[in-house]
Amino acid sequence: MRNRTAALVMAVLLALYLVVTVQYSILLLGTDSVIAKVEGAALLVLPLVGAWALVAELRFGTRAQRLLRRMIELDRLPVDTLPHRPSGRPDRAAADAEFPVFQAEVEANPDDWTSWYRLALAYDACGDRRRARWATRRAIRIEREAAARG
């Protein structure tokens, strides 16, 4: 719940920033200076990129949460037996030792979204957030394709 609240606060702050940037760019476009108009036009690009990034991240988070709920319903979440540091994060060495189990599961079932989501959780436990997001995206895509098929 704390992560969701933090994401919501960041989304609101980014939206506020985007509104202020658009307002400032409109002011610059309304001036007589050519340089100010060019800057105003350039500033309009930033809110577009920011809005796209915000929507993409919110969609990713929503889809990942939906998969997590489905994993719980299917009773496919891995049991967390790893020792944890005082920060609450799993012990990296223990996570690294357990990782091959999840990697082998994906290799045996490459079209199973639950295997990919479990691999994403394993990557996250190992501290590799980039690959965890990649595996989560893969799980989302596979699950969506399976749902579209029937």
Side-chain angles (χ1 to χ4, degrees):
M1 187 65 171
R2 185 174 42 181
N3 289 342
R4 187 178 296 175
T5 303
L8 182 61
V9 168
M10 292 304 294
V12 168
L13 290 174
L14 179 59
L16 179 64
Y17 168 76
L18 296 175
V19 167
V20 170
T21 303
V22 167
Q23 288 175 337
Y24 188 64
S25 65
I26 290 170
L27 285 173
L28 288 173
L29 287 170
T31 64
D32 293 332
S33 171
V34 174
I35 293 174
K37 287 181 188 258
V38 170
E39 287 178 3
L43 274 177
L44 281 177
V45 173
L46 289 175
L48 293 175
V49 171
W52 171 81
L54 175 61
V55 169
E57 284 302 307
L58 291 175
R59 286 177 65 198
F60 172 76
T62 301
R63 289 174 177 167
Q65 280 295 120
R66 185 174 55 79
L67 286 190
L68 178 62
R69 283 191 300 274
R70 290 210 46 217
M71 291 284 289
I72 292 169
E73 290 170 4
L74 296 171
D75 196 30
R76 291 280 293 146
L77 278 179
V79 177
D80 185 6
T81 58
L82 297 173
H84 288 77
R85 298 183 297 206
S87 66
R89 296 286 304 155
D91 177 69
R92 181 106 182 234
D96 287 345
E98 192 176 81
F99 181 82
V101 172
F102 298 103
Q103 190 173 24
E105 182 182 338
V106 165
E107 290 170 0
N109 305 300
D111 295 327
D112 178 25
W113 69 267
T114 61
S115 296
W116 280 99
Y117 198 82
R118 290 165 56 91
L119 180 65
L121 295 173
Y123 272 128
D124 186 60
C126 292
D128 193 342
R129 296 279 167 85
R130 184 178 60 81
R131 285 193 175 112
R133 289 176 67 83
W134 170 78
T136 302
R137 283 188 180 95
R138 184 87 181 251
I140 290 168
R141 189 177 75 240
I142 292 170
E143 189 272 338
R144 291 182 73 184
E145 289 170 356
R149 283 193 301 267

